[in-house]
Amino acid sequence: MAYITAIKSSILIFPLIAFLFTTPFILYNYHKYGSINPLKTFIVYSFILYMITVYFLVILPLPQIEEVIPKPNMVRLIPFGFIKDIIKETSFVFNNPSTYLKALTEPCFYTVIFNVFMTIPFGMYLRYYFKYDVKKTVFYSFLLSLFFEVTQITGLYFIYPHPYRVFDVDDLLTNTLGGAIGYVLMGVLDNYLPTREEIDRSAIRKGKEVSGLRRITLFFLDFFLFIFFSLFISLFLKNYHPFLITFLIYYIGIPILKKGSTLGGSFLNVRLEYKNAKILRSFFRIVFLFIYYFFIPFWSLIGTYLLVNHLGMNATITIYFYLAALVAILLFYFINGLIIIAKKQTFYDKLLKVNYISTIKEEENEE
C-alpha cells in the first residue's frame, strides 16, 4: 500500500516539477542543438519522474511528528544481515524448492528484491544517457543509496526529531547492486536504441531550421530581457524614457552590431534576415509585434470595460462580457501560436520580407 501511495504522489507532483524544469530545458536545447529531440525529451522527463518516484518510495508515508519517538536498532551496520532475516523470518528452506515461491511473497524477502529493482533504471539511465562507465555507475548508485539512507537517519533532514526509518547498510549494497545490474542490462538494449551521439546529431540537423516553438521561445526570451534591462536602466535614467532607450538599443542597435541577432537570438542561435531596408523594417516589425500581441488584447479588455460601464449592465451580464473578452483573447493567442508552429512565416513577416535564419553549426557541437 505504501508503494502505491508513493507512486501516486510522484505522478501528482511530476507536472509541477516538469513545469519548473521545462523552460531551462527548452533554452538549453535550443542554445546547444537548435531543436528539441522528442526521444531526448522522453528520456529526460521519464528520468525526472523516476527520480521523484524512488525518492517518495524512500520517504513516504510520512508519520505525524508526535508519533516519531526514539527507538533502538535504527542503525544496522552489519552487512548481509538480510540473509539471516530471510532464514529466520521466512518460510524459505534452501533444500526445499517448494518454499521458494511462498518466500517471495513475504516482506523480508521481497523488500530485498525491491531494493535491487529500485535502482536498476538508475544504472540504465547512467549508461545510456549520461554515458557513464561501470565504475561511475556503481559509484553514483552507491551515492544515491547513501543519500536515501542519510535522508532516513536524519529524520527527513531533521524535520522529525528522530529517524522514522532504519539506516541499513544492506540497502546500500542492494541499491548499488541494482545500479550495476541496470548498467549490464543497458548494454544489451544498447544494440536496439540510437546512441546519445546519434540523438544529438539528429537534433543539430533539425536545428538548422528555425521551428515555430523556437520562434515563440525567442519572442518571450527577448521580451524578458528587454523588460529586465529596461528596469535596470530605469534605476539610473529615471527621467530619460528608459523603456524607449532600451528598445532602441536592444531591438535596433544590438541586431545591427550582431548581424540580425538580438541577445536572445544569439543565445538561441537565431538571427533575422531582411531583404532590404533592414533598420526600418526591423523597427516597424518590433513595433507591430508589441501592438499586435500586447496592446490589441489589452485595449480589447479596456474596451469591454468601457462598454459595460456605458451600457450600465447588471452583474451577471457584465461577467459574461468579461468572460467572452477573455475567451476571445485566449483564442487570439492560441490561433496565432498554431499558425507560428505550423507555418514558417506569419503574415507580418511576409509583408516585411523577413526570414528566420538558424546559426547553429554541427561542427561546433561535435565532441
Side-chain angles (χ1 to χ4, degrees):
M1 187 64 184
Y3 297 153
I4 296 175
T5 300
I7 294 171
K8 286 182 178 179
S9 300
S10 64
I11 292 173
L12 290 174
I13 199 69
F14 172 72
L16 174 61
I17 302 298
F19 175 78
L20 296 175
F21 180 77
T22 292
T23 297
F25 176 76
I26 288 174
L27 293 176
Y28 171 79
N29 277 273
Y30 280 144
H31 171 67
K32 187 169 184 180
Y33 306 105
S35 70
I36 300 175
N37 185 279
L39 178 57
K40 179 185 288 187
T41 302
F42 171 77
I43 293 170
V44 171
Y45 279 86
S46 64
F47 180 70
I48 293 173
L49 178 59
Y50 161 73
M51 293 300 292
I52 296 172
T53 302
V54 294
Y55 182 70
F56 282 171
L57 286 169
V58 170
I59 68 171
L60 296 180
L62 295 175
Q64 297 294 324
I65 292 182
E66 58 271 13
E67 295 176 356
V68 179
I69 59 176
K71 295 179 182 179
N73 302 320
M74 293 301 286
V75 178
R76 300 178 61 176
L77 298 178
I78 300 176
F80 304 108
F82 68 88
I83 298 176
K84 184 190 298 185
D85 293 338
I86 290 173
I87 294 173
K88 284 185 175 181
E89 300 178 19
T90 70
S91 56
F92 176 81
V93 178
F94 181 75
N95 58 0
N96 186 358
S98 63
T99 64
Y100 292 0
L101 186 60
K102 184 179 179 182
L104 288 174
T105 64
E106 296 172 337
C108 203
F109 200 98
Y110 70 64
T111 299
V112 175
I113 297 176
F114 173 77
N115 281 332
V116 175
F117 278 25
M118 188 171 71
T119 51
I120 286 177
F122 187 68
M124 298 174 75
Y125 279 111
L126 291 186
R127 175 166 185 170
Y128 179 66
Y129 187 76
F130 295 97
K131 307 299 292 183
Y132 287 167
D133 58 22
V134 64
K135 290 182 180 179
K136 282 188 176 181
T137 300
V138 170
F139 176 69
Y140 282 110
S141 298
F142 174 80
L143 287 184
L144 178 67
S145 181
L146 182 62
F147 169 70
F148 291 155
E149 297 305 308
V150 170
T151 299
Q152 294 173 339
I153 196 63
T154 58
L156 197 57
Y157 324 115
F158 305 104
I159 293 176
Y160 291 91
H162 308 285
Y164 64 92
R165 288 194 175 184
V166 176
F167 178 102
D168 195 341
V169 70
D170 283 341
D171 291 345
L172 294 175
L173 297 175
T174 52
N175 290 157
T176 304
L177 175 62
I181 292 173
Y183 179 89
V184 174
L185 290 176
M186 197 67 244
V188 177
L189 296 177
D190 258 344
N191 298 323
Y192 304 97
L193 296 172
T195 65
R196 170 73 183 273
E197 291 76 13
E198 289 172 342
I199 295 174
D200 290 344
R201 284 196 293 268
S202 174
I204 293 168
R205 284 194 296 269
K206 292 181 180 178
K208 291 181 179 180
E209 294 184 2
V210 182
S211 66
L213 181 58
R214 192 170 168 193
R215 290 166 56 186
I216 293 174
T217 304
L218 172 63
F219 177 83
F220 282 105
L221 180 59
D222 278 335
F223 182 70
F224 171 80
L225 293 174
F226 165 70
I227 296 297
F228 174 80
F229 287 121
S230 295
L231 294 175
F232 179 77
I233 291 176
S234 68
L235 297 175
F236 304 96
L237 301 174
K238 295 182 180 180
N239 299 321
Y240 293 92
H241 305 291
F243 281 90
L244 178 60
I245 292 173
T246 307
F247 177 86
L248 294 174
I249 293 174
Y250 190 89
Y251 286 106
I252 305 299
I254 292 176
I256 291 174
L257 296 175
K258 297 181 69 64
K259 299 180 180 179
S261 291
T262 58
L263 293 181
S266 296
F267 184 81
L268 298 178
N269 296 294
V270 178
R271 67 180 177 87
L272 297 183
E273 185 178 76
Y274 295 88
K275 189 173 182 180
N276 49 49
K278 297 180 181 180
I279 298 176
L280 187 61
R281 290 179 187 272
S282 176
F283 176 80
F284 278 121
R285 181 178 183 278
I286 297 302
V287 171
F288 178 83
L289 289 180
F290 274 95
I291 293 174
Y292 186 66
Y293 286 111
F294 293 107
F295 287 105
I296 290 179
F298 173 76
W299 281 104
S300 67
L301 284 178
I302 298 297
T304 303
Y305 170 77
L306 294 175
L307 178 63
V308 166
N309 283 333
H310 177 71
L311 297 178
M313 299 176 179
N314 60 46
T316 302
I317 297 178
T318 298
I319 292 173
Y320 285 145
F321 262 81
Y322 280 124
L323 286 176
L326 289 173
V327 169
I329 291 171
L330 291 175
L331 282 174
F332 169 79
Y333 284 124
F334 179 73
I335 292 171
N336 277 277
L338 288 181
I339 291 172
I340 292 173
I341 291 175
K343 297 183 179 180
K344 293 184 177 181
Q345 276 192 320
T346 56
F347 72 93
Y348 46 82
D349 284 338
K350 288 182 179 179
L351 290 174
L352 293 171
K353 298 180 180 179
V354 59
N355 290 307
Y356 287 83
I357 305 298
S358 176
T359 59
I360 197 79
K361 294 182 180 179
E362 187 167 355
E363 59 270 16
E364 292 179 356
N365 292 272
E366 291 180 351
E367 297 181 358

